[in-house]
Amino acid sequence: MAQPYLCPNCRSNRTRFNLIAQVATPVKMDPGTGEVVEELTDQTMGPFHIPYNGPPYKVQCGVCGLVENELTFIKHAQNDPGSTQN
């Protein structure tokens, strides 16, 4: 369900945002060179590799550039005394 946003930093932007997709690629790296040795899958991660469980995307304010979780922008819009949604 769509929710209104309000930037918590500039406190004026309600319309211009960038949605940044968070696509995790689990990898195994060489500890000496930092080179990717293997891209892992759910079947090959093993017991010592925790799968990504963060948000599917983040939001960037199109005015001031602040990048935060979507919930931060939603909560600021809900708590804004000048909002017509309250």
Side-chain angles (χ1 to χ4, degrees):
M1 184 165 153
Q3 295 282 330
Y5 290 172
L6 173 62
C7 178
N9 188 49
C10 64
R11 296 187 178 113
S12 62
N13 180 28
R14 292 182 175 274
T15 59
R16 298 177 187 277
F17 300 96
N18 297 311
L19 300 179
I20 304 165
Q22 304 246 105
V23 180
T25 303
V27 297
K28 191 172 190 177
M29 297 174 72
D30 181 287
T33 65
E35 195 171 324
V36 174
V37 176
E38 178 184 4
E39 284 194 21
L40 303 172
T41 66
D42 288 340
Q43 292 77 28
T44 62
M45 275 201 270
F48 299 110
H49 193 111
I50 298 171
Y52 178 74
N53 62 355
Y57 59 91
K58 291 211 175 217
V59 177
Q60 180 183 35
C61 175
V63 175
C64 72
L66 177 74
V67 178
E68 287 289 339
N69 288 331
E70 178 186 35
L71 190 56
T72 304
F73 288 87
I74 291 171
K75 289 295 182 186
H76 274 79
Q78 290 172 347
N79 295 328
D80 180 41
S83 174
T84 58
Q85 298 289 322
N86 290 336

